[in-house]
Amino acid sequence: MKTYHLFIGSLILVLSGVSCQPNHSSDQPLPILGNRHVEENTVNGNVSADTVYHKIANFEFVNQEGDTVTNRDVKGKVYVADFFFTSCPTICPIMKKEMLRVYEEFKDEPNFKILSHTIDPEYDTVTLLKDYAARLGVNNANTWNFLTGDQEKIFEIGQTSYLTTAMTDKEEPGGFLHSGAFLLIDTQGRIRGVYDGTKTTQVDQLIKDIPKLLAAGDEVSIR
């Protein structure tokens, strides 16, 4: 079963063209990742074709302050998403150390957010998440939101929207299987980059890429 779960998680990434290896140079615009399809529209007899890109689905979770956070709160903003749980004995401490670097770099940027989703909401209560955030030095949710909610909805948005691995697996340390990916999302809710949150070099690249999306007139590279 463990092998099957890993295969499915990997398959999601492969089919969507998403990799934890940024495949762009520092001076290139960021690609749009994920599936897309073309819609034809006819207006006054004229046919036009529009490309519809994969986007993050609507969501509703609760942050460490007890406030409801939805996709409306990140509309028009650039954000980074990841999945973790506070009792994680393996990669999560490394991920949070690296995400803290991202937070420190952009915490004063009003058009930037971080959404960290717990995959163990039964244990990771609002109170626990607030304490966890405080221990990291994050004293409010202005930029970095630690989100909890219905577990199945968290799993669903992780696997179908962010195209990453987030699931229960009793054979894994801590009882969960999740990716270490940091996902960069643009102002339109599209995935523009996937970075290994356990590797300093890839988080360095993420920090370089975020300003590209924050800058006005972001150029789009199709993938």
Side-chain angles (χ1 to χ4, degrees):
M1 183 62 69
K2 179 179 177 182
T3 302
Y4 174 78
H5 282 165
L6 287 170
F7 172 75
I8 292 298
S10 300
L11 186 62
I12 291 171
L13 296 179
V14 170
L15 291 179
S16 305
V18 177
S19 166
C20 275
Q21 299 292 333
N23 63 349
H24 52 273
S25 63
S26 59
D27 58 346
Q28 288 182 332
L30 301 178
I32 298 175
L33 302 176
N35 297 325
R36 82 266 332 260
H37 65 275
V38 176
E39 286 187 354
E40 290 189 351
N41 299 298
T42 302
V43 179
N44 297 326
N46 297 316
V47 179
S48 63
D50 296 319
T51 302
V52 179
Y53 296 97
H54 176 86
K55 291 186 178 183
I56 306 305
N58 292 344
F59 59 84
E60 183 175 311
F61 299 118
V62 177
N63 70 11
Q64 71 269 32
E65 301 294 337
D67 298 325
T68 299
V69 176
T70 74
N71 52 293
R72 293 184 295 276
D73 293 298
V74 291
K75 185 177 181 180
K77 298 183 184 298
V78 174
Y79 71 96
V80 175
D82 74 326
F83 293 81
F84 81 111
F85 58 109
T86 63
S87 60
C88 172
T90 53
I91 63 174
C92 294
I94 301 171
M95 292 170 63
K96 289 297 160 277
K97 179 181 177 182
E98 291 295 333
M99 190 68 87
L100 193 59
R101 295 174 54 219
V102 180
Y103 170 74
E104 291 294 342
E105 186 73 23
F106 297 101
K107 64 183 178 181
D108 296 323
E109 170 54 60
N111 292 318
F112 177 76
K113 299 283 186 184
I114 299 172
L115 304 185
S116 288
H117 308 72
T118 177
I119 56 175
D120 187 11
E122 183 176 352
Y123 181 79
D124 290 340
T125 62
V126 168
T127 300
L128 193 150
L129 288 177
K130 185 170 184 176
D131 178 68
Y132 183 80
R135 284 187 280 118
L136 286 173
V138 181
N139 296 317
N140 57 60
N142 292 345
T143 299
W144 194 347
N145 288 261
F146 294 82
L147 301 177
T148 187
D150 181 86
Q151 187 180 60
E152 288 306 313
K153 291 182 179 178
I154 293 171
F155 287 170
E156 180 182 4
I157 200 166
Q159 296 184 45
T160 64
S161 278
Y162 292 106
L163 307 178
T164 191
T165 305
M167 62 182 71
T168 301
D169 188 335
K170 298 304 181 184
E171 295 183 24
E172 287 292 311
F176 296 94
L177 178 63
H178 68 99
S179 166
F182 290 173
L183 299 112
L184 179 57
I185 312 300
D186 69 13
T187 58
Q188 298 181 54
R190 304 172 301 188
I191 302 173
R192 303 298 296 275
V194 183
Y195 310 79
D196 188 334
T198 68
K199 295 184 178 178
T200 297
T201 54
Q202 292 205 19
V203 178
D204 286 344
Q205 186 62 53
L206 169 61
I207 290 171
K208 292 178 182 177
D209 287 344
I210 289 169
K212 296 180 183 180
L213 299 186
L214 289 171
D218 167 48
E219 242 182 288
V220 170
S221 172
I222 307 301
R223 176 178 174 184

